[in-house]
Amino acid sequence: MKKPYFPLFVDLSEKKVYVIGAGTIAKRRIRSLTDFTDHLIVVAPEVNPELNGLEQEGKITILRKKFELQDIAEADIVIAATNDHSLNGEIYDYCIEQEILVNVCNDKKKCDFYFPGLAMKDNVVVGVTANGTNHKMARKAVEKIREMLEEWL
């Protein structure tokens, strides 16, 4: 039986975090990450207005182009969130070879880490995961924790 993931809190403020893709899953990851790093780079040929707004606010940098592996040569963390399984696999292989932490959104076997459900209030941050197996249960737990944080803080 595989052991659960250890909840590790990491200072991302100076880490270069790259998100490849700008679809629905990528947008969720980007929204979550903007509170934690000042170096969030999105690589996608096209992005939606919400991401344009985040760029105008200075929360993200967008490279509007077709992705190339050299784009992530300086990365500390990469999130592969394209709808192209083959490209996500190439990104994963490159990151493993270069020892860059990677999360492939459509393949939990190709993830060095999972994205937790987040509950935040002031400086209190709670991350919840069900090890990628039961998103509904994790989401329900996060909702309850958010309610408790609102009551307590």
Side-chain angles (χ1 to χ4, degrees), residues 81-144:
T82 76
N83 59 4
D84 182 335
H85 293 284
S86 176
L87 177 57
N88 287 347
E90 286 178 44
I91 294 168
Y92 173 79
D93 292 341
Y94 176 83
C95 288
I96 295 303
E97 180 182 293
Q98 299 300 313
E99 298 182 350
I100 300 169
L101 289 175
V102 62
N103 174 288
V104 176
C105 292
N106 61 6
D107 189 344
K108 64 184 176 181
K109 292 178 183 169
K110 293 182 177 176
C111 293
D112 290 325
F113 61 94
Y114 292 138
F115 269 79
L118 294 173
M120 294 174 48
K121 174 86 168 147
D122 300 326
N123 285 328
V124 175
V125 179
V126 179
V128 176
T129 184
N131 284 328
T133 60
N134 191 333
H135 300 295
K136 187 176 180 180
M137 181 173 56
R139 187 170 31 255
K140 195 171 182 180
V142 168
E143 289 168 10
K144 287 288 188 193

Side-chain angles (χ1 to χ4, degrees), residues 13 15-23 26-44 46-64 79:
S13 56
K15 301 291 184 200
K16 293 178 185 165
V17 181
Y18 283 73
V19 178
I20 314 309
K27 280 192 323 187
R28 283 199 314 258
R29 302 296 185 252
I30 292 162
R31 279 195 301 261
S32 295
L33 287 164
T34 57
D35 289 328
F36 298 96
T37 181
D38 293 326
H39 306 285
L40 182 56
I41 300 100
V42 177
V43 183
E46 297 177 25
V47 298
N48 69 9
E50 180 183 349
L51 295 183
N52 288 328
L54 290 174
E55 181 182 40
Q56 290 168 355
E57 294 170 26
K59 293 184 176 186
I60 65 174
T61 299
I62 301 173
L63 304 179
R64 289 171 179 81
I79 293 91

